[in-house]
Amino acid sequence: MARIRDISLTLIALGAAATAASAATPAAAPTLASCEGPHAIPLGQPNSFDARGVWLDRKRIKWPGVATDGQFKLYYSSSAAINAQQGAKVAGADGALTLDVVPAAPSPDTAPAQGAMAAAADRFRYLGDGATLSVRAADAQALPSLLSSQLVLVQENSDGTVRDATTVQATGILDDLYASAEGATDLGASQGRAGTSFKLWAPTAQRVAVCTFDTGKSKARQITPMKLDAKTGIWSTSARAGRYYKYVVDVIAPKAGLVRNLVTDPYSVSLNTDSARSYIADLQDPRLAPTGWKNDATPQTVKALPDMSIYELHVRDFSINDLSVSRVNRGKYTAFGETGSNGMKHLTALARAGMTDVHLLPVYDIGSVPEKGCAVPHPSGAPDSDKQQATVAQTHLTDCYNWGYDPWHYSAPEGSYSTDPEDGARRIIEFREMVMALHKAGLRVGMDVVYNHTYRGGQDERSVLDRIVPGYYHRLNLKGETEQSTCCFNTATENRMMAKLMTDSTELWTKHYHIDSFRFDLMGHQPRAAMEALQARVDKAAGRHIQLIGEGWNFGEVADGARFVQASQLSLNGSGIGTFSDRGRDAIRGGGAGDSGQQMIAQQGYINGLSYDPNAGAPLRPIADLLSAADMVRVGLAGTIRSYPMMTYTGETRALQDIVYGGNQPAGYASQPGEAVNYVENHDNQTLYDINAFKLPVATTTADRARVQMLAAALNAFSQGVAYYHAGFDILRSKSLDRNSFESGDWFNRLDWTYRDNYFGVGLPPAADNGKDYALIKPLLGNAALKPSPADIAFARDVFRDLLRIRASSTLFRLRTAEDVRQRLRFFNVGPSQVPTVVAATIDGAGYDGAGFRSVTYLINVDKVAQTVAGEAGKAYRMHPVHANGADKRAAEARYDAATGRFTVPARTAVVFVE
């Protein structure tokens, strides 16, 4: 009898395919009043199923960990009313499809489909063993109409009672059935002469309508039902009225059941205050173009990735503390247009010295900062007081500050940086004005983008993707819960439409905002294939190469290729996409990025005393540790090129890929120098000045602290690959020892473009991330001798610019290929008999385009005393012209003896000789 009933229900479903499952929805269609409702309205009862089943494609389901005995059915209910209690029979379903168990060994008649099946099996390999189930051919036609229903997978006993039940993750079937949606070029709102066209991909929705509004605050003018295209899963309609809009989406959501969601557009190009409504705009409309936008031109300073010298800057940090900026523009996009401000003078000077790019921390729409009426705390207290952080903590969720790694709408400018966040047009214009101003200053503009997660998920009001296609855009674990290894709600860019959203978004920023490069947050959570496809798209949109760099860290649920080939350090080999290198960073700074407690003091690095200048809290370290660190510094200087041969301190010559880093990784991982991004400080973790406060002996003078910082700058500037610097690094920026200032407010993130203060000792940093170390932090902040003078800051500023000039003076510091590095870069003072506190290298410039010199030789002495090392005799070396007349007068004291080939380098000095 059960089988007869199943066939009957299947025939009913087939006959109803044209009318869709939503016909059975008990709720009435949305009305104009729905446009003014709450963000979500329940239309039925919530349910409590997990989602342990996974669609592999349009026919097959994998149920990990479940044996193949018993019988399997897929129950469906358009009202999400299914009740499947263990030991009882299923109730509340509209019907069911019987599923067949797929044998482990495929039969000959399935051979033609083996390619697709193998691809799906590989994609979902992380699922492990379990039952693979198949929809019968006769039922397959019904599936698209059932996807808007609640689908519950049930393993039944022979008497029809429930043994186990779960819902099914829909990614595989949606990507298979609606693959053609990937080619859509007009998702979102598109203006035309006949009105505005609206298109939304929502294949599991039962109904979709669009509400239009005249302003961001007015009542809805109209609500227009949208029509589903069964081939693509895209709903569409057009409307003549309105400047703002929202969608009404009736959909079944995990746990929540059938809901009516009032939601903004994931393809929003702008919004009103606090992202309440999406803004209708044609980004090619001349009214959105500031004067001169058509003639805006990218500075032609970068011909290849290694040419990039990058300054990482937060929009609010840049000007909020700059009294030379008009009050209305402080902390805003428009501050960059005030060319006479101290901040713009600083950026212009960097550009003239050789800085090529400014990379802006997130400037897309973020969810963590109120765009109007945000709090501005006013802390005060002693250098080691906890009063300041307590004041900041009181309003950290409502103040005007956050780094912005909290994506809400990927393709719309953030409103808190606009002078009028209520006007959807204003932020577009002002963002473009900012880009123009930076281009005119000689700086290319890069964006920090965070496609690896969203700020919110599920049914949260600030969740967009999950409230339109629940469970699709985010990466789920084996229970159907969203993975959160990146801090928040991890997106699944291995899924077609999430990869499309990422790529469409970067294309928009490239084409309509003249963005020159992108820095991808936690890029290792993206597939390499998705990043390479994105590279092709943005290059085509720009008509030139757009540089891509990112964090290639390997961790979380995708680690070691668990789900796909990652865009991570080791896996991007040969892609031409750059990743941040921790090799040189850790050797230079000492320890690791996550150190805390006594480790921060004990783990000294190459520039701050390892073995040769131990602090009071450091154990006695053998000379081998210093020699090993020197080798790792050289790895960074050689661009971490896999194939580069280097003599190690043991006297062996090895390719960098055969030198071990971190216990189990190759030190060399890049195929070409542009695939390595060299840095010693960025927004994450303590600034270098602050970490050196822990690691340098307390008695180290501030003048020497400034010198140590510039030794790190020199190592970065002389390293092959991309040079990356944190804003304020050049002026000894401190965050009062804060290890994670993402929501520490303006107080702990200030910059001083008058060069009077670096803001060391402005109070104990926020307790949430630093409190466990207050016993170590407090005496340092209370020690006035650790705070640099304006003269120290000016010294660092000017030496840093000299280093930029030296790097810009010759392509030998920016070699194009791995072969160039292998053939032209030669380290000396290496092996067992080296002076371990000096790294030295010669780069051959004969016949090399842009070399400017026959050769360059650089030496960095990190020791507290002068050192002499052996080089090549008989050379006609002279001091590099920049050093000969530069800010560091000590560098001019360095000497080369042509008769003996010996170089003498003063204490804590970097110097370049040329011939």
Side-chain angles (χ1 to χ4, degrees):
M1 288 294 292
R3 175 61 182 150
I4 294 173
R5 182 173 183 272
D6 289 343
I7 292 172
S8 174
L9 289 170
T10 297
L11 291 174
I12 292 171
L14 288 170
T19 60
S22 59
T25 304
T31 65
L32 199 61
S34 303
C35 301
E36 311 293 342
H39 76 278
I41 298 175
L43 300 179
Q45 294 299 314
N47 58 71
S48 58
F49 293 102
D50 56 22
R52 287 172 288 124
V54 178
W55 283 102
L56 303 180
D57 50 31
R58 68 178 67 199
K59 289 188 66 176
R60 295 179 303 142
I61 297 172
K62 184 74 170 284
W63 196 347
V66 171
T68 58
D69 55 327
Q71 57 186 8
F72 295 88
K73 292 181 182 177
L74 188 65
Y75 287 87
Y76 51 90
S77 167
S78 60
S79 57
I82 294 174
N83 188 339
Q85 297 296 318
Q86 195 172 41
K89 292 189 177 182
V90 173
D94 298 336
L97 307 180
T98 296
L99 305 177
D100 295 323
V101 174
V102 177
S107 60
D109 61 325
T110 63
Q114 288 307 299
M117 291 173 67
D122 182 63
R123 176 181 178 181
F124 295 103
R125 61 185 180 273
Y126 65 91
L127 296 175
D129 295 332
T132 300
L133 311 168
S134 178
V135 175
R136 292 174 177 174
D139 296 339
Q141 187 180 342
L143 276 176
S145 66
L146 298 179
L147 288 175
S148 61
S149 297
Q150 178 189 34
L151 298 177
V152 178
L153 177 60
V154 179
Q155 183 185 32
E156 294 181 344
N157 299 310
S158 58
D159 61 356
T161 57
V162 175
R163 184 186 302 183
D164 199 357
T166 187
T167 57
V168 189
Q169 299 176 29
T171 299
I173 191 170
L174 296 181
D175 278 354
D176 191 0
L177 284 175
Y178 303 110
S180 60
E182 204 172 12
T185 58
D186 54 354
L187 292 176
S190 304
Q191 282 187 309
R193 291 183 179 179
T196 302
S197 165
F198 299 93
K199 291 191 175 182
L200 178 72
W201 188 71
T204 61
Q206 295 184 358
R207 286 196 189 95
V208 180
V210 63
C211 303
T212 50
F213 310 84
D214 288 336
T215 71
K217 299 294 187 184
S218 63
K219 295 286 187 181
R221 173 183 280 255
Q222 67 183 50
I223 183 170
T224 308
M226 300 178 73
K227 182 180 179 181
L228 175 65
D229 174 31
K231 183 179 179 182
T232 61
I234 295 172
W235 297 74
S236 62
T237 194
S238 60
R240 296 190 64 85
R243 296 300 298 165
Y244 294 85
Y245 67 104
K246 292 187 89 165
Y247 293 117
V248 179
V249 182
D250 290 0
V251 67
I252 292 174
K255 310 297 184 185
L258 183 60
V259 292
R260 175 165 291 164
N261 285 324
L262 185 61
V263 61
T264 47
D265 192 343
Y267 274 77
S268 297
V269 297
S270 191
L271 305 111
N272 72 323
T273 304
D274 293 330
S275 308
R277 294 173 182 175
S278 300
Y279 179 67
I280 298 170
D282 176 1
L283 293 178
Q284 299 186 77
D285 187 334
R287 290 172 295 182
L288 297 176
T291 303
W293 181 244
K294 275 191 174 182
N295 298 319
D296 175 58
T298 294
Q300 300 301 301
T301 50
V302 173
K303 295 181 174 63
L305 263 168
D307 287 337
M308 294 179 77
S309 289
I310 299 170
Y311 205 58
E312 181 196 46
L313 182 63
H314 186 274
V315 167
R316 187 172 174 88
D317 287 354
F318 171 64
S319 60
I320 196 64
N321 192 46
D322 189 348
L323 299 185
S324 69
V325 173
S326 305
R327 182 179 295 276
V328 70
N329 292 332
R330 288 178 206 160
K332 307 297 183 182
Y333 300 124
T334 48
F336 292 88
E338 297 202 22
T339 56
S341 71
N342 293 331
M344 281 307 295
K345 288 178 181 177
H346 185 86
L347 293 186
T348 301
L350 289 176
R352 288 174 179 163
M355 193 72 75
T356 64
D357 290 61
V358 161
H359 266 205
L360 299 170
L361 266 70
V363 282
Y364 52 71
D365 181 54
I366 63 175
S368 50
V369 173
E371 292 184 346
K372 195 170 185 179
C374 56
V376 182
H378 298 284
S380 62
D384 59 349
S385 169
D386 65 355
K387 290 173 57 180
Q388 297 94 324
Q389 66 87 29
T391 301
V392 169
Q394 288 174 359
T395 58
H396 75 281
L397 295 178
T398 58
D399 74 358
C400 303
Y401 194 89
N402 199 286
W403 280 346
Y405 292 88
D406 303 319
W408 194 347
H409 297 87
Y410 286 119
S411 302
E414 162 60 12
S416 67
Y417 301 142
S418 172
T419 59
D420 184 3
E422 184 57 30
D423 181 356
R426 193 72 243 153
R427 66 181 73 184
I428 296 172
I429 295 167
E430 291 177 352
F431 191 110
R432 289 170 164 175
E433 289 174 339
M434 172 183 66
V435 172
M436 284 177 57
L438 287 167
H439 280 170
K440 286 178 181 177
L443 292 160
R444 294 158 25 104
V445 182
M447 272 185 72
D448 192 331
V449 287
V450 188
Y451 296 107
N452 61 82
H453 65 244
T454 58
Y455 181 50
R456 293 289 185 261
Q459 282 294 112
D460 188 276
E461 185 171 3
R462 284 171 288 185
S463 169
V464 176
L465 302 176
D466 246 354
R467 295 201 294 126
I468 294 172
V469 192
Y472 175 82
Y473 285 100
H474 292 92
R475 187 173 298 125
L476 306 179
N477 63 19
L478 297 184
K479 292 183 178 180
E481 301 160 337
T482 302
E483 296 280 8
Q484 298 193 29
S485 59
T486 67
C487 86
C488 309
F489 296 82
N490 292 6
T491 56
T493 43
E494 63 270 31
N495 299 347
R496 286 183 189 274
M497 297 303 284
M498 183 59 221
K500 174 179 171 59
L501 176 59
M502 176 175 72
T503 303
D504 288 349
S505 177
T506 50
E507 182 182 32
L508 179 145
W509 290 112
T510 302
K511 181 178 180 180
H512 294 294
Y513 291 94
H514 302 178
I515 295 300
D516 302 303
S517 61
F518 293 93
R519 174 217 182 262
F520 286 79
D521 183 63
L522 299 181
M523 185 172 61
H525 273 59
Q526 252 83 267
R528 170 175 168 151
M531 289 300 302
E532 289 181 313
L534 184 152
Q535 178 79 79
R537 278 276 296 280
V538 294
D539 285 359
K540 183 177 180 181
R544 57 188 170 88
H545 185 59
I546 298 295
Q547 287 77 26
L548 306 182
I549 64 173
E551 292 180 307
W553 314 132
N554 175 37
F555 70 98
E557 72 281 357
V558 299
D560 302 320
R563 297 199 180 202
F564 45 75
V565 176
Q566 300 157 258
S568 59
Q569 276 183 341
L570 301 185
S571 300
L572 276 172
N573 172 34
S575 68
I577 297 171
T579 60
F580 287 86
S581 175
D582 43 0
R583 277 58 170 166
R585 179 201 71 187
D586 289 352
I588 292 168
R589 289 171 65 105
D595 289 350
S596 62
Q598 193 63 30
Q599 277 184 316
M600 294 188 294
I601 296 171
Q603 298 294 320
Q604 289 178 283
Y606 190 66
I607 61 167
N608 50 38
L610 172 61
S611 185
Y612 62 90
D613 190 21
N615 62 53
L620 292 176
R621 298 281 292 278
I623 193 67
D625 286 359
L626 176 60
L627 290 164
S628 178
D631 275 354
M632 204 56 64
V633 168
R634 294 184 186 99
V635 168
L637 288 164
T640 70
I641 300 296
R642 289 172 178 258
S643 58
Y644 183 81
M646 187 183 81
M647 180 181 286
T648 69
Y649 75 91
T650 64
E652 302 170 279
T653 297
R654 297 181 177 180
L656 299 189
Q657 64 188 357
D658 297 326
I659 297 173
V660 177
Y661 165 76
N664 58 0
Q665 297 182 64
Y669 67 82
S671 288
Q672 301 296 339
E675 292 176 0
V677 180
N678 303 299
Y679 74 115
V680 291
E681 172 186 318
N682 71 352
H683 64 274
D684 283 320
N685 309 309
Q686 297 95 341
T687 68
L688 185 63
Y689 193 88
D690 285 349
I691 204 67
N692 282 343
F694 290 107
K695 296 180 186 294
L696 284 167
V698 173
T700 306
T701 66
T702 55
D704 267 355
R705 290 174 187 274
R707 282 197 160 275
V708 168
Q709 184 121 338
M710 289 305 102
L711 292 176
L715 288 167
N716 212 34
F718 300 162
S719 292
Q720 300 299 328
V722 176
Y724 198 94
Y725 307 97
H726 183 212
F729 171 81
D730 51 327
I731 52 174
L732 307 182
R733 183 180 192 172
S734 169
K735 296 181 181 180
S736 205
L737 303 184
D738 193 353
R739 68 180 305 118
N740 188 15
S741 69
F742 80 104
E743 57 179 5
S744 298
D746 298 323
W747 184 260
F748 290 99
N749 285 286
R750 282 176 293 174
L751 287 164
D752 179 11
W753 302 128
T754 69
Y755 316 124
R756 306 298 299 173
D757 200 340
N758 79 331
Y759 299 113
F760 181 89
V762 296
L764 286 165
D769 286 299
N770 304 277
K772 63 183 181 299
D773 293 323
Y774 273 0
L776 300 175
I777 292 172
K778 190 175 175 68
L780 294 174
L781 294 179
N783 186 347
L786 300 185
K787 190 176 181 72
S789 68
D792 299 325
I793 295 169
F795 169 81
R797 175 199 65 202
D798 295 342
V799 170
F800 182 82
R801 292 176 188 176
D802 282 350
L803 292 169
L804 289 179
R805 292 184 184 98
I806 290 170
R807 181 177 171 87
S809 73
S810 175
T811 52
L812 298 182
F813 296 105
R814 301 171 277 120
L815 295 171
R816 275 29 186 165
T817 70
E819 181 63 18
D820 292 340
V821 178
R822 286 193 300 270
Q823 293 295 323
R824 295 178 179 274
L825 174 66
R826 181 182 61 83
F827 292 107
F828 59 98
N829 183 45
V830 294
S833 60
Q834 68 182 270
V835 177
T837 51
V838 179
V839 291
T842 294
I843 312 173
D844 178 14
Y848 200 71
D849 186 33
F853 307 102
R854 186 184 308 163
S855 72
V856 297
T857 294
Y858 60 76
L859 303 98
I860 301 102
N861 175 17
V862 300
D863 212 336
K864 297 192 300 179
V865 296
Q867 293 289 356
T868 298
V869 299
E872 188 175 356
K875 293 290 186 177
Y877 283 127
R878 57 188 172 89
M879 191 78 64
H880 191 289
V882 171
H883 267 154
N885 301 286
D888 185 0
K889 303 307 178 186
R890 191 183 291 181
E893 299 172 7
R895 294 290 179 265
Y896 166 70
D897 186 339
T900 62
R902 299 182 72 79
F903 292 90
T904 300
V905 187
R908 286 179 168 152
T909 299
V911 65
V912 179
F913 291 90
V914 298
E915 64 167 349

